[in-house]
Amino acid sequence: MIEGISMSPTTVKPKTTTRTKVQRPPLYKVILLNDDYTPREFVVMVLKSVFRMAEETASRVMLTAHQKGACVIAVYTRDVAETKAKEGTELGKARGYPLFFTTEPEQ
Ligand code: TYC
């Protein structure tokens, strides 16, 4: 408050709105690829543990990849997408399966 000037309770402050544009990070899709060797139950287990899917969702996603060759699982920021794709692929590799998750930018 400036000395000597007292604000009356009715003083109205002009409304000024400053809009800051929020820059959203680009999103990346994680894609599950089908193969002929990884057991279905193993794919479901990986989808549940790495991608936090419920049993039914994981089974449906696994079946879609099995029938169509690939299935988009989820979208994340680049770092998260790449980390999860790597985790899923590594889990398969550790068991000798060719299970593969890849990422690609959305749009
Ligand atoms: N095609 C595999 C089988 O018949 C199962 C499978 C499904 C593997 C989806 C990978 O992304 C996949 N055992």
Side-chain angles (χ1 to χ4, degrees):
M1 187 77 66
I2 304 163
E3 233 183 51
I5 301 169
S6 61
M7 267 203 224
S8 78
T10 52
T11 302
V12 178
K13 235 179 141 194
K15 193 187 170 223
T16 54
T17 9
T18 312
R19 264 182 207 279
T20 310
K21 278 261 166 69
V22 188
Q23 287 298 322
R24 291 193 178 78
L27 295 176
Y28 281 68
K29 298 183 276 195
V30 176
I31 301 157
L32 167 66
L33 301 181
N34 185 37
D35 67 72
D36 292 338
Y37 304 100
T38 310
R40 292 177 180 213
E41 318 81 67
F42 187 80
V43 179
V44 171
M45 184 278 285
V46 171
L47 291 174
K48 286 165 73 178
S49 65
V50 177
F51 299 93
R52 300 272 159 241
M53 284 184 193
E55 177 80 29
E56 303 72 45
T57 313
S59 296
R60 189 166 40 76
V61 165
M62 179 278 294
L63 267 182
T64 303
H66 176 75
Q67 290 163 355
K68 300 193 167 176
C71 183
V72 175
I73 295 177
V75 287
Y76 302 104
T77 54
R78 187 177 176 180
D79 261 20
V80 178
E82 284 174 353
T83 302
K84 284 184 182 284
K86 197 172 166 192
E87 275 172 16
T89 301
E90 290 295 329
L91 281 177
K93 205 173 177 181
R95 293 280 293 268
Y97 299 135
L99 181 65
F100 196 72
F101 293 87
T102 187
T103 61
E104 73 175 48
E106 210 189 22
Q107 261 94 202

